[in-house]
Amino acid sequence: MDRLILIGNPGNRRTEGLQEARRKLGMPPAVVVPYLDLLRGRTSLEQTAELAELRGGRSPVLRLDAPGELFEVERELIALGAPDAPAELADDRLLPYGAWNDPQPLPVKAALSIQEQRGRLYHPSQWFRGYGRLLAMVEKRAKELWPHGRWINAPDDIAAMFDKRYTHRVLTAANVPVPKRLAPPEQLPDYETLREMMSQRRLHRLFIKLAAGSGACGVIAYQTNPVTGAELAVTTIGVESYNTRPPAYYNAVKLRRYTGSQEIRSIINWLLAHGAHIEQWIAKAAYMGHSYDIRQLVVGGEACHRIARVSPTPITNLHLRSQRKTLDEVGLNSSEQDTVKDCAERALAAFGGSTVAGVDVLLDSRLKKPYIVDVNPFGDLLYRVEYSGCNPYEWEMRRLGETFSPFSPMGKERSEPAERKNEY
């Protein structure tokens, strides 16, 4: 079979899980290209081709894994997204909202001097710009080296899925059910405009999501009282205020409740400045008085591993101590489970260059109608969940080992929404 090149962070749960799956299935180990080495120029895809003996017409399969969990990578990506980054690396063509102005951008030198503070959200929009530039660089160089190479998830699809604003547009264009968007992002510059539009459209309960956030980072379940104007924000965002400099925002890794307008205004304005997707808050189906949604993995067009995430709060991510349940345990019948699978498969099919994604499916509390609330290109890190006797990585590698092949040839085009991709 073709060799697998894995661009990721060596030694983390994802890389080790995939390598263990390949070992168990009798496959050669993936050739790991560390994100940090790529960003610092210590390695390249050209060097990888030489080391893996992939010159002379042999074409690999390539996999991009999540860039998180390593602060040095985060810092390098913020620097790559800087306004004074080298011109040859400042390629924003894969960014869905590349014309968006990053607030108070950090120059390269300032970005590289950032010191780690655990949980701190330094500059999410500049980080995403840097990641988009890295994806563009990797896509271009891989295509030059291996014109017939195949991506498990194409770089342009990863950039598109990572941006919740654009994911909503792609799914809407494909007639996949999604919660109603409050407004295009350019029409919501600040908190005051948001409150005014909520009143005009009589939408008093919303989810506000950092455009390129993951793991509930930068998510607010926000509601207002239409009579009194009182407001409540439930979020993982923490705030540290200073007398002499702007407040610092961080991922508290637990939910916090804010009722004060000053704090809520500050958090929302910060999210809007970095890019946010705002959608209707749909009441989720319930189990034992707790709400839940479903993480459904899709591999090669087929829905496979899945888990219901049950929480007493409106935000259900598993790391926030939500309960893990099977779909049978939360009371979904076979028809309802098939509806979840079909909706998730349609969501991934909207991204024609990709084969694997964790799709988050919400069922409304009244009719259990499905809505897609996220498509995660790195959403296959699911513990203690099996399908056909395989964990997620084993199943993915088994399908690849069987030469299953909607794996995307480089350069395959995805149908775009009506608006141009790189505008807002």
Side-chain angles (χ1 to χ4, degrees):
M1 62 168 291
D2 292 335
R3 293 298 300 273
L4 178 66
I5 293 177
L6 170 63
I7 300 171
N9 290 327
N12 72 6
R13 298 168 295 173
R14 297 174 182 275
T15 303
E16 292 302 306
L18 185 138
Q19 294 285 44
E20 173 59 22
R22 292 180 67 81
R23 185 199 64 77
K24 185 175 179 180
L25 294 171
M27 297 177 175
V31 179
V32 179
V33 182
Y35 271 117
L36 191 59
D37 288 352
L38 271 181
L39 287 160
R40 290 182 173 172
R42 296 193 298 232
T43 193
S44 66
L45 291 186
E46 290 85 353
Q47 290 173 291
T48 302
E50 296 289 351
L51 290 171
E53 299 180 351
L54 288 169
R55 292 284 193 181
R58 291 191 63 194
S59 294
V61 173
L62 296 102
R63 174 186 171 100
L64 281 150
D65 219 328
E69 301 183 10
L70 195 60
F71 171 70
E72 290 83 356
V73 171
E74 179 181 1
R75 181 168 55 195
E76 292 288 338
L77 288 171
I78 295 172
L80 183 55
D84 60 337
E88 66 273 15
L89 300 179
D91 183 353
D92 293 340
R93 61 189 166 83
L94 298 190
L95 288 169
Y97 289 82
W100 193 273
N101 292 321
D102 299 331
Q104 300 178 323
L106 296 172
V108 170
K109 185 175 180 180
L112 292 176
S113 69
I114 294 172
Q115 299 299 308
E116 182 175 14
Q117 299 175 24
R118 289 188 65 82
R120 174 80 179 269
L121 301 171
Y122 295 97
H123 205 304
S125 57
Q126 188 167 316
W127 174 92
F128 185 49
R129 187 176 298 279
Y131 190 51
R133 290 174 174 179
L134 180 64
L135 290 173
M137 178 190 74
V138 167
E139 179 193 61
K140 179 181 177 182
R141 292 182 181 174
K143 191 171 183 178
E144 292 168 351
L145 286 166
W146 306 294
H148 302 292
R150 297 171 294 165
W151 290 102
I152 290 179
N153 284 351
D156 64 327
D157 271 359
I158 290 174
M161 291 184 216
F162 227 108
D163 193 315
K164 293 175 175 59
R165 300 164 296 186
Y166 192 65
T167 294
H168 191 277
R169 284 171 51 187
V170 170
L171 296 180
T172 299
N175 294 316
V176 176
V178 288
K180 182 188 300 182
R181 182 176 69 173
L182 178 64
E186 68 273 13
Q187 295 180 15
L188 296 168
D190 53 36
Y191 167 88
E192 284 73 22
T193 306
L194 171 68
R195 288 294 302 264
E196 181 180 351
M197 194 166 292
M198 290 175 69
S199 177
Q200 290 174 356
R201 302 193 176 180
R202 298 182 180 179
L203 283 174
H204 306 294
R205 302 176 82 231
L206 298 169
F207 267 88
I208 304 171
K209 303 177 180 180
L210 184 64
S214 61
C217 177
V219 173
I220 304 176
Y222 179 60
Q223 56 187 312
T224 63
N225 186 310
V227 177
T228 67
E231 54 192 323
L232 170 65
V234 178
T235 180
T236 59
I237 298 176
V239 186
E240 288 187 358
S241 297
Y242 305 95
N243 293 327
T244 58
R245 60 182 190 270
Y249 300 92
Y250 61 93
N251 186 4
V253 199
K254 62 182 179 179
L255 292 176
R256 301 197 167 195
R257 295 167 60 91
Y258 297 95
T259 57
S261 292
Q262 184 173 348
E263 281 184 309
I264 292 173
R265 177 186 288 106
S266 171
I267 295 170
I268 289 178
N269 278 336
W270 183 79
L271 285 173
L272 292 174
H274 284 277
H277 171 66
I278 304 174
E279 64 188 20
Q280 182 182 11
W281 177 344
I282 296 173
K284 297 175 180 176
Y287 164 77
M288 302 289 290
H290 290 181
S291 60
Y292 70 86
D293 62 11
I294 298 153
R295 165 61 60 87
Q296 174 69 71
L297 184 63
V298 182
V299 176
E302 177 186 346
C304 46
H305 304 72
R306 58 196 181 185
I307 193 76
R309 309 180 298 185
V310 184
S311 173
T313 76
I315 300 175
T316 58
N317 296 71
L318 290 174
H319 73 282
L320 298 175
R321 299 186 179 179
S322 296
Q323 298 179 62
R324 303 159 53 92
K325 297 290 181 182
T326 68
L327 272 59
D328 290 326
E329 287 174 328
V330 297
L332 292 183
N333 61 40
S334 59
S335 176
E336 291 165 338
Q337 293 187 29
D338 287 345
T339 298
V340 169
K341 292 172 62 176
D342 176 71
C343 196
E345 288 168 357
R346 289 169 55 203
L348 183 56
F351 298 88
S354 292
T355 306
V356 176
V359 182
D360 291 343
V361 187
L362 174 157
L363 300 174
D364 76 40
S365 61
R366 192 166 62 92
L367 300 174
K368 293 187 178 174
K369 178 182 175 181
Y371 296 87
I372 302 301
V373 291
D374 195 22
V375 182
N376 186 339
F378 310 124
D380 53 3
L381 186 63
L382 293 172
Y383 298 113
R384 302 187 301 280
V385 184
E386 290 197 345
Y387 180 79
S388 294
C390 297
N391 71 30
Y393 291 129
E394 291 165 0
W395 181 248
E396 291 170 27
M397 294 301 101
R398 179 173 150 188
R399 296 300 299 270
L400 178 57
E402 293 168 350
T403 65
F404 181 79
S405 190
F407 288 84
S408 170
M410 294 182 186
K412 181 176 179 180
E413 295 294 329
R414 179 183 66 248
S415 58
E416 302 288 350
E419 304 111 301
R420 284 182 57 197
K421 181 174 180 181
N422 208 24
E423 293 183 352
Y424 57 86

